[in-house]
Amino acid sequence: MAIHMGMITIDCANPRELAQFWTAALETTVAQDYGDFVVLAPPAGGGLPLGLQRVPETRAAKNRVHVDFGGDDRAAEVQRLVGLGAKEVAEHEVPGLAWTVLVDPEGNEFCVSAGVH
């Protein structure tokens, strides 16, 4: 039996606070709240549940793993996410693909690109 992806988990200082950003960003809800571990329901359009896990240390360097999101209008999505509390970090482009790197309110990096689903 092969493994399968079940959830993406982000380490953070305050899961309940960060859940406010991510529920708005993904237009979803909190499915379970265990205090130090909050699980968001999968977005209606598809995807995995998102876990937010309290850890004692702060993020010290670039994330070794990050989540890539896609949408039809990258610029509009980036504007919406910045309005919710994200910060834009960088923009990148290679032939046939452009993406924006952002950080959530706790500094966890994620990307938004057009056409990635």
Side-chain angles (χ1 to χ4, degrees), residues 11-32:
D11 290 348
C12 60
N14 191 326
R16 287 179 175 155
E17 258 183 43
L18 197 55
Q20 293 174 23
F21 169 79
W22 282 109
T23 55
L26 298 173
E27 298 177 343
T28 189
T29 59
V30 171
Q32 291 136 351

Side-chain angles (χ1 to χ4, degrees), residues 71-108:
D72 294 328
D73 187 342
R74 178 173 56 104
E77 281 303 311
V78 168
Q79 265 189 324
R80 184 179 73 84
L81 294 163
V82 168
L84 294 172
K87 291 187 174 99
E88 191 173 336
V89 175
E91 293 208 11
H92 299 282
E93 190 170 340
V94 296
L97 180 64
W99 66 96
T100 304
V101 180
L102 299 108
V103 293
D104 71 15
E106 284 205 15
N108 299 296

Side-chain angles (χ1 to χ4, degrees), residues 14-17 19 29-40 52 54:
N14 191 326
R16 287 179 175 155
E17 258 183 43
T29 59
V30 171
Q32 291 136 351
D33 183 343
Y34 302 105
D36 286 344
F37 189 68
V38 175
V39 179
L40 307 186
L52 304 169
R54 184 183 315 273

